[in-house]
Amino acid sequence: MNQKVILHLDMDAFFASCEQAHDKTLKNKPVVVARNNDRSIIVAASYDARKYGIKAGTPIFEAKQLAYGELIIKEGNRDLYEEYSERIFNLIKEQFTYKVEVLGIDECFIDATNIWEKYGNVQNLCLAIQAAVYQETGLTCSIGASFTRLFSKMGSDMKKPNGITIITKENFKTLIWNKSIKDVIGVGSSSLEKMELLNVKTVNDFVKLDEKIIADSFGLSGQKMYQKLHGIKNDEIAYWETSVKSISKEKTFDKKNMAIEDIEEILFNLAEKVVLRMQKNNILAKTVTLSIKFYNQEINFDKKEHKKRRTYSETFNEYTDSLEKLYSRVKVILDDIYDGESISLIGIGVTNLIEKDKLVKQQSFDNIII
């Protein structure tokens, strides 16, 4: 297969599912994320809540009536959702491919062009990703696979939850062109008003329009949409620009008063994992960061201060992927700041990244004598 293979991964009912995964007592219960105020509207609803007809945008007072007093309202925990999000995207980059373009906290594009054959077919790859995400987090995701961004993104929404939809050059007209034009991502309200005047109700109606009418009525955006709906010029994944800006690993501690030797060993293991990922993805770094959180053992403490993460960074003169260099630098930082206070989290990260190939080209150019 010479064409691109693009996956769009979309987590299922992400915020509500995170709450259920974090608190096992919420499993199989109608959980919603919203302010507990009858005038508020629901931000996210679990699939157990959706069985009652509750969905995002439903007013709380109405949801309470639909769920017959069974509704569980969670006010939202952004830190929790971001933690799960980071675990998911890091897992994909480490176990499958670094070519991941993160779109938001719960969705991403994956360029699987060079890895799908290892799994026999695209379906098997999608199943492997779903299994890995579930094993790591207890969460499910739906995946659309296609040769363009638009088709893969539309595909991930076709079979939810935990579904897989594969849209090919052979079946995209059946799967996409029969859909309502309202279902096409990127078609806004102003375009829909114009389409109504042209009696365009389905994708098929739109693609049958004369190209001059499309250009006159919708301009450049309409012409681009026409191309996208024909599967043309829509297959680039901006994985480097949006995703690989940093690599990090961290660990939380279950017990207080750990020996400094144990802390250093954990930090070394984290550094090994960061370096392994750098080398796997052919990346060098110039800046290394130590992240740390301390337990506050005072009886009266500032909750906001208690949660605050402290970060300390050092920049090298040259790019590197040396474990010895990176670890020795963060160990020096740790020695400078550590005073015996109990640590609740420690992590190592690298930023200011560059691909090895780009650095070689850059150095070759710099060495040209004019």
Side-chain angles (χ1 to χ4, degrees):
M1 185 184 291
N2 295 323
Q3 67 192 31
K4 286 286 188 73
V5 176
I6 298 171
L7 311 182
H8 180 260
L9 181 149
D10 190 19
M11 299 305 299
D12 298 322
F14 184 58
F15 291 175
S17 295
C18 287
E19 297 286 357
Q20 290 177 310
H22 182 65
D23 183 352
K24 299 297 188 290
T25 65
L26 300 179
K27 188 176 180 180
N28 299 324
K29 293 182 179 178
V31 177
V32 298
V33 176
R35 291 199 309 273
N36 196 354
N37 181 318
D38 283 350
R39 291 175 295 177
S40 299
I41 62 171
I42 289 169
V43 175
S46 69
Y47 284 94
D48 304 290
R50 295 182 194 191
K51 293 175 184 177
Y52 292 94
I54 299 168
K55 58 185 179 180
T58 302
I60 282 290
F61 77 88
E62 183 180 329
K64 288 178 178 178
Q65 294 171 355
L66 291 169
Y68 310 112
E70 298 294 320
L71 192 69
I72 298 172
I73 302 170
K74 306 296 290 185
E75 298 229 345
N77 184 341
R78 188 75 185 182
D79 289 341
L80 177 68
Y81 310 149
E82 288 180 350
E83 177 190 336
Y84 273 102
S85 177
E86 184 176 357
R87 286 167 61 186
I88 292 162
F89 297 141
N90 283 344
L91 177 149
I92 295 168
K93 293 172 189 175
E94 290 167 9
Q95 292 192 23
F96 297 95
T97 176
Y98 67 94
K99 294 183 177 182
V100 177
E101 179 184 346
V102 177
L103 297 180
I105 196 168
D106 64 344
E107 61 175 324
C108 68
F109 281 120
I110 304 167
D111 186 342
T113 308
N114 297 324
I115 64 169
W116 70 268
E117 288 183 304
K118 299 176 188 176
Y119 299 84
N121 56 50
V122 175
Q123 177 85 10
N124 287 344
L125 169 60
C126 294
L127 288 169
I129 292 173
Q130 286 180 326
V133 169
Y134 185 78
Q135 184 175 3
E136 169 70 19
T137 64
L139 303 176
T140 64
C141 61
S142 297
I143 300 176
S146 190
F147 58 99
T148 77
R149 294 167 63 97
L150 177 64
F151 294 165
S152 65
K153 192 166 180 14
M154 291 180 69
S156 66
D157 202 40
M158 289 182 182
K159 296 177 186 175
K160 274 187 165 287
N162 204 34
I164 296 170
T165 302
I166 299 176
I167 300 175
T168 66
K169 288 188 175 180
E170 290 70 38
N171 68 12
F172 81 88
K173 291 182 180 179
T174 301
L175 293 176
I176 300 293
W177 286 13
N178 289 326
K179 296 183 76 66
S180 169
I181 195 66
K182 295 178 182 178
D183 295 334
V184 177
I185 298 157
V187 177
S189 57
S190 60
S191 293
L192 287 174
E193 291 176 4
K194 295 175 184 176
M195 288 182 184
E196 193 172 332
L197 295 174
L198 294 168
N199 200 31
V200 172
K201 296 179 181 178
T202 67
V203 174
N204 202 35
D205 293 334
F206 178 75
V207 296
K208 284 183 176 179
L209 289 175
D210 184 275
E211 291 189 51
K212 187 177 185 309
I213 293 176
I214 292 175
D216 291 343
S217 301
F218 306 99
L220 183 59
S221 63
Q223 292 173 302
K224 287 183 177 179
M225 183 56 67
Y226 180 85
Q227 289 182 328
K228 289 179 181 180
L229 291 170
H230 278 84
I232 302 170
K233 296 181 180 179
N234 187 227
D235 64 357
E236 293 301 319
I237 300 301
Y239 60 89
W240 178 259
E241 291 79 0
T242 61
S243 301
V244 193
K245 292 182 178 178
S246 66
I247 296 174
S248 62
K249 282 289 180 183
E250 60 187 35
K251 182 175 177 59
T252 55
F253 296 99
D254 297 326
K255 60 179 181 178
K256 300 181 180 180
N257 303 318
M258 290 183 65
I260 184 63
E261 294 79 12
D262 294 332
I263 295 170
E264 289 175 349
E265 182 180 354
I266 290 170
L267 185 60
F268 181 81
N269 291 335
L270 294 173
E272 274 189 316
K273 291 178 180 178
V274 168
V275 168
L276 182 64
R277 186 170 158 213
M278 290 172 64
Q279 293 173 346
K280 181 179 177 182
N281 294 328
N282 209 34
I283 289 171
L284 301 173
K286 206 169 186 181
T287 301
V288 63
T289 300
L290 175 72
S291 295
I292 195 163
K293 284 183 183 180
F294 295 99
Y295 283 105
N296 192 319
Q297 296 178 324
E298 298 176 14
I299 296 175
N300 297 314
F301 65 91
D302 186 323
K303 188 173 181 181
K304 184 176 180 181
E305 182 67 26
H306 173 66
K307 290 184 177 180
K308 190 177 293 182
R309 178 190 301 249
R310 305 179 195 176
T311 59
Y312 307 85
S313 298
E314 292 278 353
T315 298
F316 298 98
N317 292 327
E318 297 178 347
Y319 288 96
T320 183
D321 62 357
S322 164
L323 173 60
E324 182 181 358
K325 286 184 179 180
L326 293 170
Y327 174 69
S328 62
R329 190 62 59 93
V330 291
K331 186 180 180 304
V332 168
I333 298 172
L334 180 65
D335 291 341
D336 287 343
I337 66 171
Y338 186 66
D339 61 0
E341 188 177 354
S342 294
I343 293 174
S344 64
L345 176 148
I346 196 164
I348 179 173
V350 289
T351 56
N352 198 356
L353 309 181
I354 191 170
E355 290 177 292
K356 279 186 181 180
D357 295 343
K358 290 184 178 179
L359 181 64
V360 171
K361 290 178 183 177
Q362 178 180 307
Q363 290 174 334
S364 299
F365 182 78
D366 291 341
N367 290 332
I368 293 175
I369 299 176
I370 302 175

